[in-house]
């Protein structure tokens, strides 16, 4: 059998399940750490419930992913997850989801592993969102999830540090309301409202334009040129204000 015929026949098995996102559908990639509880709490013993070093590794991974060849207009990270919003007109790899999933998971794993100086792995999935409001709701969902996770984490680790076992601390919080969790922390001298915003709301990464001043080597004239760089926002809004913030990217 000629190579061309063999190549054509075998590629059917490789591509028969390809899913391509339709034009004008918004794409958001969610990239999650695999077995990160073990990695961060047992292998490397990061500070609980939040560790600045781990936060910075996640931010650097987001910035890296926004520069690997895709047109990403907004990145967001909370805990061990990353969400990336692509430009609506992104056409890389004919919008094949398997390419986005494999490339982004691989790139995130490689970057974070280098930062950690140890092996770390991420998975990836693509959400296909038909409307702008679906995109707003997606990021609103992750923003509110960050708040919920932060409150639970602070309560859990406060109890653990007070001598509670893992099982007992978990059971103690199972039917506790948000108000009661805030009260629990307050009784330990912690005002949840005063905790850093990045813990409660996550971190946003997006492009900002700026002017760079230069000198023409021939005419010696001062010249301003437009550039853009990534801005890390650790003081994101919440609720409706955050929804309005996301709409600005759309």
């Amino acid at each position: 059998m000629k190579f061309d015929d063999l190549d054509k026949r075998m590629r059917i098995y490789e591509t028969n399940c390809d899913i391509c996102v339709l034009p004008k559908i918004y794409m958001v990639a969610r990239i999650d750490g695999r077995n990160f509880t073990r990695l961060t709490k047992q292998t490397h013993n990061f500070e609980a419930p939040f560790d600045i070093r781990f936060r910075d590794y996640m931010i650097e991974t987001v910035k890296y992913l926004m520069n690997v060849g895709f047109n990403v207009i907004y990145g967001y990270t909370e805990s061990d997850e990353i969400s990336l919003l692509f430009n609506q007109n992104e056409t890389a790899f004919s919008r094949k989801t398997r390419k986005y999933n494999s490339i982004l998971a691989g790139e995130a794993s490689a970057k974070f592993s280098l930062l950690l100086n140890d092996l770390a792995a991420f998975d990836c999935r693509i959400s296909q969102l038909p409307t702008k409001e679906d995109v707003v709701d997606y990021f609103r969902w992750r923003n509110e999830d960050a708040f919920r996770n932060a409150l639970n984490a602070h309560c859990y680790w406060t109890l653990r540090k007070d001598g509670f076992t893992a099982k007992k601390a978990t059971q103690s919080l199972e039917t506790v309301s948000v108000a009661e969790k805030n009260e629990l922390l307050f009784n330990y001298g912690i005002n949840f409202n005063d905790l850093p915003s990045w813990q409660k709301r996550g971190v946003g990464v997006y492009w900002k334009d700026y002017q760079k001043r230069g000198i023409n080597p021939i005419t010696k004239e001062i010249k301003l040129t437009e550039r853009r760089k990534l801005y890390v926002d650790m003081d994101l809004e919440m609720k409706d204000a955050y929804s309005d913030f996301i709409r600005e990217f759309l």
Side-chain angles (χ1 to χ4, degrees), residues 52-246:
I52 292 177
R53 184 164 55 104
F54 179 82
R55 177 203 68 187
D56 291 345
Y57 288 171
M58 292 299 295
I59 291 172
E60 288 304 311
T61 302
V62 174
K63 292 165 66 177
Y64 175 76
L65 293 176
M66 294 179 75
N67 280 289
V68 295
F70 297 106
N71 190 352
V72 180
I73 59 177
Y74 180 63
Y76 175 80
T77 181
E78 57 118 342
S79 186
D80 65 344
E81 72 171 56
I82 294 167
S83 293
L84 303 175
L85 172 62
F86 298 91
N87 185 290
Q88 188 183 25
N89 298 316
E90 174 67 272
T91 58
F93 301 104
S94 301
R95 297 167 71 90
K96 294 177 182 176
T97 58
R98 69 176 174 90
K99 298 293 285 188
Y100 289 77
N101 287 333
S102 59
I103 291 171
L104 291 170
E107 294 280 12
S109 300
K111 179 61 177 179
F112 195 91
S113 294
L114 288 173
L115 293 168
L116 185 64
N117 197 28
D118 195 1
L119 293 177
F122 288 82
D123 63 39
C124 179
R125 75 216 71 163
I126 297 292
S127 291
Q128 302 181 44
L129 304 169
T131 70
K132 292 180 179 180
E133 287 308 304
D134 289 325
V135 176
V136 171
D137 287 345
Y138 173 91
F139 283 99
R140 174 78 172 260
W141 169 46
R142 303 323 303 152
N143 181 259
E144 295 192 6
D145 183 71
F147 182 90
R148 179 180 62 89
N149 286 341
L151 182 58
N152 288 338
H154 274 285
C155 288
Y156 174 83
W157 285 106
T158 296
L159 293 177
R160 289 298 308 277
K161 292 172 182 177
D162 193 33
F164 283 61
T165 64
K167 182 178 180 180
K168 183 64 176 176
T170 300
Q171 291 176 340
S172 299
L173 298 172
E174 284 179 349
T175 60
V176 178
S177 68
V178 170
E180 290 170 328
K181 289 175 182 177
N182 275 281
E183 183 66 22
L184 183 154
L185 292 176
F186 191 77
N187 290 335
Y188 280 92
I190 302 171
N191 187 331
F192 187 70
N193 291 328
D194 293 339
L195 295 175
S197 295
W198 63 268
Q199 296 185 9
K200 300 177 292 184
R201 307 172 192 176
V203 179
V205 182
Y206 46 92
W207 298 98
K208 274 193 172 185
D209 295 328
Y210 71 100
Q211 288 188 328
K212 183 178 180 180
R213 181 178 177 179
I215 299 177
N216 187 307
I218 299 176
T219 64
K220 306 301 181 182
E221 294 178 339
I222 296 175
K223 183 179 180 181
L224 295 177
T225 56
E226 293 289 333
R227 294 287 188 271
R228 69 172 191 162
K229 61 182 177 181
L230 286 172
Y231 174 74
V232 176
D233 191 340
M234 294 194 192
D235 194 23
L236 295 173
E237 301 287 351
M238 289 186 69
K239 300 186 181 298
D240 291 343
Y242 185 64
S243 294
D244 291 338
F245 170 75
I246 295 297

